[in-house]
Amino acid sequence: MNVTPEEAQEALAAIQQTTVKTRRGLAYYAYQQILWGLLWFVGFLISQFVQPATLNWIWIVMPILGVIGSAIVGISQGRCMRITPDSRLAFISSRVGMFFGILYGFGIIWFVVLQPLKALQIALFWITLVMFGYIVAGAWLRISLLIGIGVGVTVMSLLGYYLLPGYFYLWSAVFAGGTLLGSGIYILLRWR
Amino acid sequence: MAELNEVIHQPIRLRIMASLVALDEETQVGFNYLKDLLDLTDGNLGAHLRKLEEAGYITMTKTFVNKKPHTFVEATESGRQAFAEHVAALETILNGNKRKV
């Protein structure tokens, strides 16, 4: 078959356009990252400026919104794509999901047992717990970005906790929430 | 030297393969998603998918999700390879023309 250079260029452009459109539309993990980054950012930002008594409500509502949002993302993406059943990727994916489920379960146990905790300690506890998950998942899956996010946010959170306790929530909004949000957007834009 | 693939080069099939290969291996795309992405009718998409399936470039899996029938499509290893070769052939044609210019 004969294809002119112009036709070849058109075909390659169509391939690129379709590739970008597909990846942007089905970037499940990027959307989840953006969702939770936004919730952390808003949650910590509000926490900086409200009365301590309101903090409990914020951090009950935010995770609920996160779970609802995650379910919406999961269901809408699930209609468009899925991991091949019984594949190696399905096995790995289920194990990662199981790991995070167990991690959060133990997080709740530790949270209850370690009471009473101060408000800042509670915030740092959950931030570092989630980042522990990122680091382990990153090491397991060999995804250096996850490890970088986990280590970076942990270090910055510890710095904020010890050096700027009066502004820790604001600090966390930027360095914890902002990092998740920014990295999610980065993944979305770079995966093309 | 990479050669053009007549089955894949058809514009709609080219975009179908581009969409499937864009994702990781062991990932399947829904029929309705492809239909919306490529702005095709059920019949049109179905005909092109059958052609690709006959060539061994994709597999189609029919299943039920919440009691509704769904079809998921996945590029095979030979499909990914054939697509990569086709892209390489297109790039050779384009680069060959650029060198002449």
Side-chain angles (χ1 to χ4, degrees):
Chain A
M1 60 185 289
N2 289 320
V3 171
T4 65
E6 291 74 27
E7 287 168 340
Q9 187 163 33
E10 266 180 43
L12 289 168
I15 289 169
Q16 177 63 16
Q17 190 189 45
T18 306
T19 300
V20 171
K21 224 171 155 186
T22 302
R23 288 179 171 175
R24 292 262 169 90
L26 300 181
Y28 171 77
Y29 296 108
Y31 292 124
Q32 291 284 12
Q33 187 99 327
I34 289 168
L35 170 69
W36 285 97
L38 198 57
L39 287 170
W40 276 25
F41 180 81
V42 171
F44 282 122
L45 195 61
I46 296 173
S47 297
Q48 183 66 46
F49 301 108
V50 298
Q51 297 296 322
T54 317
L55 285 177
N56 284 344
W57 289 110
I58 293 167
W59 292 106
I60 288 171
V61 169
M62 287 298 168
I64 290 173
L65 288 177
V67 168
I68 293 170
S70 291
I72 292 171
V73 170
I75 290 167
S76 71
Q77 293 270 286
R79 287 191 184 131
C80 301
M81 63 170 274
R82 68 175 191 176
I83 294 173
T84 307
D86 301 322
S87 64
R88 188 166 175 274
L89 187 58
F91 175 79
I92 291 169
S93 182
S94 70
R95 290 303 175 272
V96 172
M98 206 181 290
F99 162 70
F100 274 100
I102 293 169
L103 176 66
Y104 294 144
F106 271 87
I108 291 169
I109 292 171
W110 295 328
F111 178 71
V112 170
V113 166
L114 290 171
Q115 293 296 338
L117 290 170
K118 295 176 189 167
L120 291 193
Q121 288 174 320
I122 293 171
L124 186 65
F125 173 83
W126 285 109
I127 292 172
T128 51
L129 185 89
V130 173
M131 291 304 114
F132 171 78
Y134 268 66
I135 293 168
V136 171
W140 192 7
L141 301 171
R142 296 182 200 172
I143 300 174
S144 54
L145 180 63
L146 289 182
I147 298 172
I149 290 170
V151 170
V153 172
T154 299
V155 167
M156 294 308 289
S157 296
L158 288 169
L159 284 174
Y161 179 81
Y162 287 110
L163 299 180
L164 290 169
Y167 296 97
F168 180 67
Y169 293 125
L170 192 59
W171 183 271
S172 298
V174 172
F175 290 106
T179 300
L180 292 185
L181 183 58
S183 59
I185 294 170
Y186 171 79
I187 294 167
L188 195 61
L189 294 177
R190 282 286 294 173
W191 195 41
R192 55 207 308 271
Chain B
M1 188 172 148
E3 289 186 359
L4 291 169
N5 185 307
E6 221 166 309
V7 172
I8 289 176
H9 190 62
Q10 197 281 336
I12 291 174
R13 290 197 288 270
L14 185 74
R15 289 164 67 209
I16 290 171
M17 289 304 297
S19 180
L20 297 178
V21 168
L23 302 175
D24 292 334
E25 291 178 23
E26 297 177 338
T27 306
Q28 299 176 334
V29 175
F31 180 94
N32 288 332
Y33 173 78
L34 276 177
K35 194 177 78 174
D36 291 339
L37 177 76
L38 304 174
D39 196 23
L40 300 170
T41 61
D42 283 4
N44 201 355
L45 177 60
H48 288 294
L49 288 176
R50 275 193 296 277
K51 187 90 178 174
L52 289 168
E53 193 180 33
E54 281 162 14
Y57 295 155
I58 66 168
T59 54
M60 291 200 282
T61 309
K62 291 181 170 56
T63 185
F64 285 89
V65 178
N66 295 328
K67 296 182 184 176
K68 288 182 187 170
H70 281 262
T71 299
F72 288 95
V73 186
E74 179 182 2
T76 62
E77 204 176 313
S78 64
R80 285 177 181 267
Q81 197 175 339
F83 182 75
E85 285 175 8
H86 185 74
V87 170
L90 288 172
E91 286 169 347
T92 302
I93 293 170
L94 189 61
N95 292 334
N97 187 60
K98 280 181 183 169
R99 273 198 294 271
K100 280 180 195 170
V101 170

mmCIF file of all heavy atoms in Angstrom, chain A residues 27-62:
data_model
loop_
_atom_site.group_PDB
_atom_site.id
_atom_site.type_symbol
_atom_site.label_atom_id
_atom_site.label_comp_id
_atom_site.label_asym_id
_atom_site.label_seq_id
_atom_site.Cartn_x
_atom_site.Cartn_y
_atom_site.Cartn_z
ATOM 1 N N ALA A 27 -7.429 8.231 33.398
ATOM 2 C CA ALA A 27 -6.338 8.335 34.375
ATOM 3 C C ALA A 27 -6.899 8.211 35.788
ATOM 4 O O ALA A 27 -6.868 9.164 36.577
ATOM 5 C CB ALA A 27 -5.608 9.662 34.182
ATOM 6 N N TYR A 28 -7.378 7.014 36.119
ATOM 7 C CA TYR A 28 -8.069 6.751 37.391
ATOM 8 C C TYR A 28 -7.255 7.206 38.594
ATOM 9 O O TYR A 28 -7.759 7.905 39.478
ATOM 10 C CB TYR A 28 -8.360 5.240 37.473
ATOM 11 C CG TYR A 28 -8.867 4.776 38.812
ATOM 12 C CD1 TYR A 28 -10.176 4.995 39.197
ATOM 13 C CD2 TYR A 28 -8.020 4.117 39.697
ATOM 14 C CE1 TYR A 28 -10.641 4.573 40.425
ATOM 15 C CE2 TYR A 28 -8.482 3.686 40.926
ATOM 16 C CZ TYR A 28 -9.792 3.911 41.281
ATOM 17 O OH TYR A 28 -10.236 3.496 42.511
ATOM 18 N N TYR A 29 -5.985 6.816 38.656
ATOM 19 C CA TYR A 29 -5.169 7.116 39.832
ATOM 20 C C TYR A 29 -4.890 8.605 39.951
ATOM 21 O O TYR A 29 -4.822 9.143 41.056
ATOM 22 C CB TYR A 29 -3.869 6.308 39.793
ATOM 23 C CG TYR A 29 -4.132 4.827 39.869
ATOM 24 C CD1 TYR A 29 -3.952 4.007 38.752
ATOM 25 C CD2 TYR A 29 -4.622 4.241 41.031
ATOM 26 C CE1 TYR A 29 -4.235 2.653 38.811
ATOM 27 C CE2 TYR A 29 -4.901 2.892 41.088
ATOM 28 C CZ TYR A 29 -4.718 2.107 39.977
ATOM 29 O OH TYR A 29 -5.003 0.766 40.025
ATOM 30 N N ALA A 30 -4.756 9.282 38.806
ATOM 31 C CA ALA A 30 -4.528 10.731 38.837
ATOM 32 C C ALA A 30 -5.756 11.442 39.403
ATOM 33 O O ALA A 30 -5.634 12.351 40.235
ATOM 34 C CB ALA A 30 -4.227 11.248 37.434
ATOM 35 N N TYR A 31 -6.955 11.006 38.976
ATOM 36 C CA TYR A 31 -8.182 11.647 39.480
ATOM 37 C C TYR A 31 -8.366 11.399 40.967
ATOM 38 O O TYR A 31 -8.809 12.272 41.710
ATOM 39 C CB TYR A 31 -9.398 11.165 38.691
ATOM 40 C CG TYR A 31 -9.402 11.650 37.265
ATOM 41 C CD1 TYR A 31 -9.485 10.753 36.206
ATOM 42 C CD2 TYR A 31 -9.300 13.002 36.973
ATOM 43 C CE1 TYR A 31 -9.457 11.199 34.892
ATOM 44 C CE2 TYR A 31 -9.268 13.455 35.666
ATOM 45 C CZ TYR A 31 -9.346 12.546 34.632
ATOM 46 O OH TYR A 31 -9.305 12.990 33.341
ATOM 47 N N GLN A 32 -8.021 10.204 41.426
ATOM 48 C CA GLN A 32 -8.121 9.917 42.857
ATOM 49 C C GLN A 32 -7.153 10.808 43.641
ATOM 50 O O GLN A 32 -7.485 11.346 44.702
ATOM 51 C CB GLN A 32 -7.779 8.436 43.136
ATOM 52 C CG GLN A 32 -8.796 7.453 42.626
ATOM 53 C CD GLN A 32 -10.050 7.398 43.499
ATOM 54 O OE1 GLN A 32 -10.290 8.231 44.371
ATOM 55 N NE2 GLN A 32 -10.889 6.416 43.253
ATOM 56 N N GLN A 33 -5.950 10.947 43.116
ATOM 57 C CA GLN A 33 -4.936 11.778 43.767
ATOM 58 C C GLN A 33 -5.405 13.230 43.851
ATOM 59 O O GLN A 33 -5.268 13.885 44.890
ATOM 60 C CB GLN A 33 -3.647 11.694 42.930
ATOM 61 C CG GLN A 33 -2.447 12.342 43.533
ATOM 62 C CD GLN A 33 -1.550 11.345 44.210
ATOM 63 O OE1 GLN A 33 -2.001 10.345 44.758
ATOM 64 N NE2 GLN A 33 -0.263 11.600 44.173
ATOM 65 N N ILE A 34 -5.964 13.721 42.750
ATOM 66 C CA ILE A 34 -6.459 15.100 42.706
ATOM 67 C C ILE A 34 -7.595 15.282 43.713
ATOM 68 O O ILE A 34 -7.648 16.274 44.440
ATOM 69 C CB ILE A 34 -6.923 15.459 41.271
ATOM 70 C CG1 ILE A 34 -5.698 15.578 40.347
ATOM 71 C CG2 ILE A 34 -7.732 16.744 41.262
ATOM 72 C CD1 ILE A 34 -6.038 15.653 38.877
ATOM 73 N N LEU A 35 -8.493 14.317 43.761
ATOM 74 C CA LEU A 35 -9.637 14.390 44.678
ATOM 75 C C LEU A 35 -9.174 14.500 46.127
ATOM 76 O O LEU A 35 -9.560 15.414 46.858
ATOM 77 C CB LEU A 35 -10.510 13.148 44.512
ATOM 78 C CG LEU A 35 -11.606 12.940 45.556
ATOM 79 C CD1 LEU A 35 -12.694 13.989 45.421
ATOM 80 C CD2 LEU A 35 -12.212 11.530 45.432
ATOM 81 N N TRP A 36 -8.320 13.580 46.546
ATOM 82 C CA TRP A 36 -7.881 13.569 47.949
ATOM 83 C C TRP A 36 -6.946 14.739 48.246
ATOM 84 O O TRP A 36 -6.954 15.285 49.359
ATOM 85 C CB TRP A 36 -7.206 12.228 48.292
ATOM 86 C CG TRP A 36 -8.227 11.155 48.453
ATOM 87 C CD1 TRP A 36 -8.617 10.238 47.526
ATOM 88 C CD2 TRP A 36 -9.047 10.909 49.609
ATOM 89 N NE1 TRP A 36 -9.619 9.445 48.023
ATOM 90 C CE2 TRP A 36 -9.893 9.832 49.301
ATOM 91 C CE3 TRP A 36 -9.130 11.498 50.869
ATOM 92 C CZ2 TRP A 36 -10.815 9.320 50.208
ATOM 93 C CZ3 TRP A 36 -10.048 10.996 51.776
ATOM 94 C CH2 TRP A 36 -10.876 9.920 51.435
ATOM 95 N N GLY A 37 -6.173 15.158 47.254
ATOM 96 C CA GLY A 37 -5.318 16.341 47.438
ATOM 97 C C GLY A 37 -6.160 17.577 47.681
ATOM 98 O O GLY A 37 -5.870 18.396 48.565
ATOM 99 N N LEU A 38 -7.229 17.707 46.921
ATOM 100 C CA LEU A 38 -8.133 18.849 47.074
ATOM 101 C C LEU A 38 -8.809 18.824 48.452
ATOM 102 O O LEU A 38 -8.905 19.850 49.133
ATOM 103 C CB LEU A 38 -9.192 18.773 45.971
ATOM 104 C CG LEU A 38 -9.984 20.047 45.663
ATOM 105 C CD1 LEU A 38 -9.054 21.180 45.291
ATOM 106 C CD2 LEU A 38 -10.957 19.769 44.519
ATOM 107 N N LEU A 39 -9.239 17.632 48.866
ATOM 108 C CA LEU A 39 -9.902 17.511 50.174
ATOM 109 C C LEU A 39 -8.935 17.836 51.309
ATOM 110 O O LEU A 39 -9.307 18.525 52.267
ATOM 111 C CB LEU A 39 -10.467 16.101 50.351
ATOM 112 C CG LEU A 39 -11.712 15.803 49.526
ATOM 113 C CD1 LEU A 39 -12.058 14.324 49.583
ATOM 114 C CD2 LEU A 39 -12.886 16.628 49.997
ATOM 115 N N TRP A 40 -7.719 17.344 51.208
ATOM 116 C CA TRP A 40 -6.722 17.648 52.239
ATOM 117 C C TRP A 40 -6.424 19.142 52.245
ATOM 118 O O TRP A 40 -6.322 19.765 53.295
ATOM 119 C CB TRP A 40 -5.429 16.864 51.978
ATOM 120 C CG TRP A 40 -5.447 15.477 52.524
ATOM 121 C CD1 TRP A 40 -6.531 14.699 52.780
ATOM 122 C CD2 TRP A 40 -4.306 14.683 52.863
ATOM 123 N NE1 TRP A 40 -6.138 13.475 53.262
ATOM 124 C CE2 TRP A 40 -4.775 13.430 53.330
ATOM 125 C CE3 TRP A 40 -2.919 14.899 52.822
ATOM 126 C CZ2 TRP A 40 -3.915 12.412 53.735
ATOM 127 C CZ3 TRP A 40 -2.068 13.886 53.236
ATOM 128 C CH2 TRP A 40 -2.574 12.654 53.692
ATOM 129 N N PHE A 41 -6.284 19.702 51.049
ATOM 130 C CA PHE A 41 -5.946 21.127 50.955
ATOM 131 C C PHE A 41 -7.044 21.979 51.600
ATOM 132 O O PHE A 41 -6.773 22.812 52.466
ATOM 133 C CB PHE A 41 -5.757 21.524 49.482
ATOM 134 C CG PHE A 41 -5.410 22.973 49.296
ATOM 135 C CD1 PHE A 41 -4.108 23.419 49.469
ATOM 136 C CD2 PHE A 41 -6.384 23.908 48.963
ATOM 137 C CE1 PHE A 41 -3.775 24.755 49.319
ATOM 138 C CE2 PHE A 41 -6.065 25.243 48.806
ATOM 139 C CZ PHE A 41 -4.763 25.668 48.987
ATOM 140 N N VAL A 42 -8.265 21.736 51.204
ATOM 141 C CA VAL A 42 -9.387 22.508 51.737
ATOM 142 C C VAL A 42 -9.572 22.228 53.231
ATOM 143 O O VAL A 42 -9.777 23.128 54.036
ATOM 144 C CB VAL A 42 -10.681 22.194 50.951
ATOM 145 C CG1 VAL A 42 -11.895 22.813 51.626
ATOM 146 C CG2 VAL A 42 -10.559 22.693 49.517
ATOM 147 N N GLY A 43 -9.497 20.956 53.600
ATOM 148 C CA GLY A 43 -9.693 20.562 54.998
ATOM 149 C C GLY A 43 -8.681 21.207 55.923
ATOM 150 O O GLY A 43 -9.034 21.763 56.970
ATOM 151 N N PHE A 44 -7.410 21.148 55.541
ATOM 152 C CA PHE A 44 -6.360 21.729 56.391
ATOM 153 C C PHE A 44 -6.437 23.258 56.397
ATOM 154 O O PHE A 44 -6.191 23.900 57.418
ATOM 155 C CB PHE A 44 -4.971 21.267 55.942
ATOM 156 C CG PHE A 44 -4.640 19.872 56.378
ATOM 157 C CD1 PHE A 44 -4.324 18.897 55.450
ATOM 158 C CD2 PHE A 44 -4.646 19.531 57.727
ATOM 159 C CE1 PHE A 44 -4.018 17.602 55.856
ATOM 160 C CE2 PHE A 44 -4.339 18.246 58.135
ATOM 161 C CZ PHE A 44 -4.031 17.278 57.187
ATOM 162 N N LEU A 45 -6.801 23.815 55.249
ATOM 163 C CA LEU A 45 -6.922 25.271 55.174
ATOM 164 C C LEU A 45 -8.014 25.769 56.124
ATOM 165 O O LEU A 45 -7.815 26.714 56.894
ATOM 166 C CB LEU A 45 -7.254 25.665 53.730
ATOM 167 C CG LEU A 45 -7.076 27.137 53.345
ATOM 168 C CD1 LEU A 45 -5.627 27.559 53.515
ATOM 169 C CD2 LEU A 45 -7.505 27.346 51.897
ATOM 170 N N ILE A 46 -9.163 25.107 56.063
ATOM 171 C CA ILE A 46 -10.269 25.494 56.954
ATOM 172 C C ILE A 46 -9.855 25.277 58.415
ATOM 173 O O ILE A 46 -10.153 26.084 59.290
ATOM 174 C CB ILE A 46 -11.550 24.685 56.631
ATOM 175 C CG1 ILE A 46 -12.041 25.007 55.222
ATOM 176 C CG2 ILE A 46 -12.642 24.980 57.652
ATOM 177 C CD1 ILE A 46 -13.195 24.135 54.751
ATOM 178 N N SER A 47 -9.159 24.154 58.659
ATOM 179 C CA SER A 47 -8.750 23.819 60.035
ATOM 180 C C SER A 47 -7.896 24.904 60.665
ATOM 181 O O SER A 47 -7.933 25.111 61.880
ATOM 182 C CB SER A 47 -7.947 22.503 60.043
ATOM 183 O OG SER A 47 -8.733 21.439 59.600
ATOM 184 N N GLN A 48 -7.105 25.595 59.839
ATOM 185 C CA GLN A 48 -6.217 26.635 60.361
ATOM 186 C C GLN A 48 -6.997 27.792 60.970
ATOM 187 O O GLN A 48 -6.518 28.462 61.876
ATOM 188 C CB GLN A 48 -5.307 27.150 59.229
ATOM 189 C CG GLN A 48 -4.289 28.185 59.644
ATOM 190 C CD GLN A 48 -3.238 27.625 60.596
ATOM 191 O OE1 GLN A 48 -2.693 26.547 60.361
ATOM 192 N NE2 GLN A 48 -2.956 28.346 61.683
ATOM 193 N N PHE A 49 -8.227 28.013 60.445
ATOM 194 C CA PHE A 49 -8.938 29.244 60.810
ATOM 195 C C PHE A 49 -10.205 29.024 61.636
ATOM 196 O O PHE A 49 -10.914 29.981 61.931
ATOM 197 C CB PHE A 49 -9.271 30.028 59.541
ATOM 198 C CG PHE A 49 -8.052 30.406 58.743
ATOM 199 C CD1 PHE A 49 -7.767 29.771 57.545
ATOM 200 C CD2 PHE A 49 -7.176 31.366 59.211
ATOM 201 C CE1 PHE A 49 -6.622 30.106 56.816
ATOM 202 C CE2 PHE A 49 -6.033 31.714 58.495
ATOM 203 C CZ PHE A 49 -5.753 31.077 57.294
ATOM 204 N N VAL A 50 -10.537 27.777 61.979
ATOM 205 C CA VAL A 50 -11.769 27.546 62.754
ATOM 206 C C VAL A 50 -11.441 27.249 64.211
ATOM 207 O O VAL A 50 -10.289 26.990 64.570
ATOM 208 C CB VAL A 50 -12.600 26.380 62.168
ATOM 209 C CG1 VAL A 50 -13.043 26.712 60.764
ATOM 210 C CG2 VAL A 50 -11.850 25.077 62.229
ATOM 211 N N GLN A 51 -12.462 27.266 65.019
ATOM 212 C CA GLN A 51 -12.315 26.924 66.433
ATOM 213 C C GLN A 51 -12.011 25.438 66.571
ATOM 214 O O GLN A 51 -12.497 24.636 65.770
ATOM 215 C CB GLN A 51 -13.614 27.238 67.194
ATOM 216 C CG GLN A 51 -13.987 28.724 67.203
ATOM 217 C CD GLN A 51 -12.955 29.549 67.939
ATOM 218 O OE1 GLN A 51 -12.407 29.131 68.959
ATOM 219 N NE2 GLN A 51 -12.646 30.725 67.402
ATOM 220 N N PRO A 52 -11.222 25.076 67.592
ATOM 221 C CA PRO A 52 -10.873 23.651 67.765
ATOM 222 C C PRO A 52 -12.072 22.716 67.816
ATOM 223 O O PRO A 52 -11.991 21.582 67.348
ATOM 224 C CB PRO A 52 -10.116 23.645 69.105
ATOM 225 C CG PRO A 52 -9.542 25.010 69.209
ATOM 226 C CD PRO A 52 -10.543 25.930 68.577
ATOM 227 N N ALA A 53 -13.174 23.197 68.360
ATOM 228 C CA ALA A 53 -14.356 22.328 68.495
ATOM 229 C C ALA A 53 -14.917 21.904 67.138
ATOM 230 O O ALA A 53 -15.566 20.863 67.002
ATOM 231 C CB ALA A 53 -15.442 23.046 69.294
ATOM 232 N N THR A 54 -14.646 22.716 66.107
ATOM 233 C CA THR A 54 -15.176 22.425 64.765
ATOM 234 C C THR A 54 -14.309 21.416 64.006
ATOM 235 O O THR A 54 -14.749 20.833 63.027
ATOM 236 C CB THR A 54 -15.261 23.735 63.945
ATOM 237 O OG1 THR A 54 -15.784 24.775 64.761
ATOM 238 C CG2 THR A 54 -16.146 23.570 62.723
ATOM 239 N N LEU A 55 -13.088 21.239 64.489
ATOM 240 C CA LEU A 55 -12.145 20.368 63.768
ATOM 241 C C LEU A 55 -12.694 18.959 63.574
ATOM 242 O O LEU A 55 -12.525 18.357 62.513
ATOM 243 C CB LEU A 55 -10.816 20.277 64.530
ATOM 244 C CG LEU A 55 -9.894 21.501 64.446
ATOM 245 C CD1 LEU A 55 -8.660 21.270 65.302
ATOM 246 C CD2 LEU A 55 -9.500 21.765 63.007
ATOM 247 N N ASN A 56 -13.324 18.437 64.630
ATOM 248 C CA ASN A 56 -13.858 17.067 64.521
ATOM 249 C C ASN A 56 -14.803 16.948 63.358
ATOM 250 O O ASN A 56 -14.773 15.969 62.613
ATOM 251 C CB ASN A 56 -14.590 16.675 65.806
ATOM 252 C CG ASN A 56 -13.613 16.346 66.911
ATOM 253 O OD1 ASN A 56 -12.427 16.120 66.645
ATOM 254 N ND2 ASN A 56 -14.071 16.334 68.138
ATOM 255 N N TRP A 57 -15.708 17.958 63.196
ATOM 256 C CA TRP A 57 -16.697 17.901 62.123
ATOM 257 C C TRP A 57 -16.045 17.959 60.757
ATOM 258 O O TRP A 57 -16.439 17.242 59.833
ATOM 259 C CB TRP A 57 -17.714 19.035 62.279
ATOM 260 C CG TRP A 57 -18.620 18.801 63.431
ATOM 261 C CD1 TRP A 57 -18.659 19.471 64.612
ATOM 262 C CD2 TRP A 57 -19.611 17.765 63.528
ATOM 263 N NE1 TRP A 57 -19.605 18.949 65.449
ATOM 264 C CE2 TRP A 57 -20.209 17.893 64.814
ATOM 265 C CE3 TRP A 57 -20.049 16.753 62.678
ATOM 266 C CZ2 TRP A 57 -21.230 17.042 65.237
ATOM 267 C CZ3 TRP A 57 -21.052 15.913 63.114
ATOM 268 C CH2 TRP A 57 -21.635 16.064 64.387
ATOM 269 N N ILE A 58 -15.028 18.819 60.646
ATOM 270 C CA ILE A 58 -14.335 18.924 59.356
ATOM 271 C C ILE A 58 -13.749 17.581 58.960
ATOM 272 O O ILE A 58 -13.896 17.129 57.819
ATOM 273 C CB ILE A 58 -13.203 19.972 59.436
ATOM 274 C CG1 ILE A 58 -13.791 21.366 59.619
ATOM 275 C CG2 ILE A 58 -12.329 19.938 58.180
ATOM 276 C CD1 ILE A 58 -12.778 22.403 60.003
ATOM 277 N N TRP A 59 -13.131 16.920 59.948
ATOM 278 C CA TRP A 59 -12.421 15.668 59.640
ATOM 279 C C TRP A 59 -13.298 14.430 59.759
ATOM 280 O O TRP A 59 -12.811 13.304 59.679
ATOM 281 C CB TRP A 59 -11.132 15.573 60.451
ATOM 282 C CG TRP A 59 -10.183 16.622 59.951
ATOM 283 C CD1 TRP A 59 -9.850 17.789 60.581
ATOM 284 C CD2 TRP A 59 -9.526 16.660 58.675
ATOM 285 N NE1 TRP A 59 -9.017 18.550 59.777
ATOM 286 C CE2 TRP A 59 -8.808 17.868 58.606
ATOM 287 C CE3 TRP A 59 -9.489 15.793 57.592
ATOM 288 C CZ2 TRP A 59 -8.047 18.228 57.503
ATOM 289 C CZ3 TRP A 59 -8.727 16.142 56.483
ATOM 290 C CH2 TRP A 59 -8.014 17.347 56.450
ATOM 291 N N ILE A 60 -14.580 14.655 59.933
ATOM 292 C CA ILE A 60 -15.562 13.598 59.699
ATOM 293 C C ILE A 60 -16.124 13.784 58.290
ATOM 294 O O ILE A 60 -16.263 12.825 57.523
ATOM 295 C CB ILE A 60 -16.699 13.649 60.749
ATOM 296 C CG1 ILE A 60 -16.161 13.183 62.102
ATOM 297 C CG2 ILE A 60 -17.881 12.790 60.308
ATOM 298 C CD1 ILE A 60 -17.123 13.398 63.256
ATOM 299 N N VAL A 61 -16.413 15.033 57.939
ATOM 300 C CA VAL A 61 -17.020 15.326 56.639
ATOM 301 C C VAL A 61 -16.043 15.067 55.488
ATOM 302 O O VAL A 61 -16.419 14.475 54.469
ATOM 303 C CB VAL A 61 -17.510 16.801 56.597
ATOM 304 C CG1 VAL A 61 -17.883 17.209 55.179
ATOM 305 C CG2 VAL A 61 -18.699 16.984 57.527
ATOM 306 N N MET A 62 -14.791 15.491 55.651
ATOM 307 C CA MET A 62 -13.821 15.356 54.554
ATOM 308 C C MET A 62 -13.610 13.899 54.108
ATOM 309 O O MET A 62 -13.688 13.596 52.918
ATOM 310 C CB MET A 62 -12.481 16.001 54.933
ATOM 311 C CG MET A 62 -12.539 17.519 54.928
ATOM 312 S SD MET A 62 -12.935 18.150 53.291
ATOM 313 C CE MET A 62 -13.286 19.845 53.663
#
